[in-house]
Amino acid sequence: MAGNILGTTVYYDSDCNLGNLVGKKITVLGYGSQGHAHSLNLKESGMDVTIGLRKGSKSWSVAEEAGFVVKETADAVKMADVVMVLIPDELQADTYKNDIAPNLKKGAYLGFGHGFNIHFGKIVPREDINVFMVAPKGPGHLVRRTFQEGSGVPCLIAVEKNPSGDTKEIALAWASGIGGGRSGILETNFKQETETDLFGEQAVLCGGVTELIKTGFEVLTEAGYDPVNAYFECLHEMKLIVDLIYEGGLAKMRHSISNTAEYGDFLTGPKIITAETKEAMRGVLKDIQSGKFADEFLADSKAGQPFLKGKREEFKNHEIEKVGAELRKLMPWIK
């Protein structure tokens, strides 16, 4: 039965009806990380799934080998009652304009795995189109693996437009069909999902963590410490700490570490993450809320990704990556 966590409604498989998708023609656009997971999980949940890809996509043969009918995007959309858009954010608006919008059935259901393009107005569907989101809170390979293991990754759902009156039921069925109902489906909206997701990625999970790891490594190696030791202390052991936090919050992590580590945690953490850092985070959030980040990201993409590709090249050559590549050869269990 549906529950409530701090004001957020949480649904489980018993609250969902997969019958709302049975008999409907489903098209998943994209067969990457999320695309392959959604498609395979839904297929194994008894759904009729077609994959839509651009002509010449390297994923075409992969999807066919997995047993799917694969069509070019426009053709896959024409026959669909439900279309889920799981291609990269930067490609969605043009694909929508050229291949999706002209071919959507009247009253079709249009789904997204992330609210970016709907929330920032880069895609504006017709008034007769039902718009929903199912956003698993984990990468595609985990969505697939946990489903196969009999569990699932928690999912967020949201409804943006509901002319048919049953779009939430479709979203719940989709989330249940990919495994989300086994662990929990949380109801939200496109604004909340998009802005918190972007902030988390930039300020904490990706941008914050990677910069902290890299800077810690540099401080130790520049002070003359062995790069192998620096790698283990600043990068490798991050997983051990994060696993403890994942399992039981900050309290379990602090309970599990030594008194020395815990003392240093409380003493030094606020020296690193200062009031100025928090203010910088507020600036990051403001740029996300205003759409400034979205516009900068899309402009870089349209220009051929000079910023993104330049940074990839820069960090590929950082010493921490070279040290890590050698050390991971000694740890085959990681693979």
Side-chain angles (χ1 to χ4, degrees):
M1 293 289 293
N4 190 287
I5 300 176
L6 301 176
T8 298
T9 304
V10 184
Y11 301 93
Y12 298 94
D13 282 337
S14 59
D15 306 300
C16 307
N17 182 4
L18 284 173
N20 287 313
L21 288 177
V22 173
K24 287 184 167 59
K25 297 290 186 182
I26 295 170
T27 285
V28 173
L29 301 182
Y31 200 72
S33 176
Q34 290 291 341
H36 93 284
H38 285 236
S39 302
L40 288 166
N41 292 4
L42 284 173
K43 180 183 177 185
E44 292 173 16
S45 294
M47 305 306 151
D48 179 6
V49 181
T50 295
I51 307 300
L53 296 172
R54 69 183 187 280
K55 189 175 182 179
S57 169
K58 63 183 181 181
S59 298
W60 195 293
S61 60
V62 179
E64 284 186 329
E65 288 169 8
F68 291 104
V69 173
V70 185
K71 298 184 177 184
E72 289 189 43
T73 301
D75 293 331
V77 170
K78 284 178 184 175
M79 48 78 69
D81 302 305
V82 186
V83 176
M84 174 61 77
V85 183
L86 295 175
I87 60 177
D89 289 332
E90 65 270 24
L91 303 179
Q92 289 186 16
D94 286 345
T95 302
Y96 184 80
K97 177 182 177 182
N98 298 327
D99 296 321
I100 302 175
N103 297 296
L104 274 174
K105 288 182 179 181
K106 182 176 177 58
Y109 299 86
L110 181 66
F112 295 86
H114 177 38
F116 185 96
N117 278 280
I118 292 293
H119 175 59
F120 291 118
K122 309 305 178 183
I123 292 175
V124 183
R126 301 190 313 257
E127 287 305 310
D128 64 287
I129 301 300
N130 301 278
V131 181
F132 71 96
M133 174 175 59
V134 176
K137 298 316 293 175
H141 73 273
L142 279 180
V143 175
R144 179 62 182 152
R145 190 181 80 197
T146 54
F147 181 88
Q148 291 175 301
E149 293 171 347
S151 60
V153 170
C155 292
L156 301 180
I157 63 162
V159 173
E160 183 75 5
K161 291 186 177 182
N162 185 29
S164 295
D166 63 350
T167 310
K168 180 176 174 180
E169 285 69 31
I170 294 294
L172 284 169
W174 190 289
S176 176
I178 65 172
R182 300 169 179 177
S183 52
I185 302 166
L186 289 75
E187 192 169 6
T188 186
N189 57 57
F190 274 66
K191 173 182 169 64
Q192 287 270 345
E193 185 277 337
T194 302
E195 294 180 357
T196 57
D197 185 72
L198 292 175
F199 178 81
E201 290 169 349
Q202 294 174 35
V204 182
L205 305 176
C206 303
V209 165
T210 56
E211 199 62 25
L212 189 66
I213 289 170
K214 180 178 74 72
T215 302
F217 177 87
E218 289 173 348
V219 167
L220 286 177
T221 55
E222 288 167 6
Y225 294 97
D226 190 315
V228 171
N229 281 0
Y231 180 89
F232 274 110
E233 294 301 332
C234 296
L235 188 151
H236 183 82
E237 290 191 32
M238 179 67 73
K239 175 177 167 31
L240 310 180
I241 296 299
V242 169
D243 281 352
L244 290 169
I245 295 172
Y246 175 82
E247 291 166 9
L250 300 178
K252 179 170 182 177
M253 180 273 289
R254 285 173 171 146
H255 175 75
S256 302
I257 61 179
S258 68
N259 288 341
T260 314
E262 187 182 12
Y263 184 90
D265 168 0
F266 288 124
L267 178 69
T268 304
K271 297 178 183 177
I272 305 301
I273 306 301
T274 62
E276 289 76 15
T277 308
K278 193 170 185 178
E279 193 58 35
M281 285 185 171
R282 292 193 178 103
V284 168
L285 181 57
K286 183 177 178 181
D287 285 347
I288 290 168
Q289 293 169 327
S290 69
K292 182 174 182 287
F293 166 78
D295 290 340
E296 289 179 353
F297 168 68
L298 294 174
D300 186 66
S301 297
K302 286 187 179 296
Q305 300 180 317
F307 176 84
L308 187 58
K309 289 178 179 177
K311 287 297 180 181
R312 284 175 182 165
E313 193 64 27
E314 175 186 334
F315 280 89
K316 183 174 71 175
N317 296 315
H318 194 281
E319 187 183 7
I320 196 170
E321 296 286 49
K322 296 175 182 177
V323 172
E326 292 302 313
L327 288 174
R328 287 190 295 274
K329 291 177 184 177
L330 306 176
M331 297 180 277
W333 63 88
I334 287 179
K335 296 180 180 180

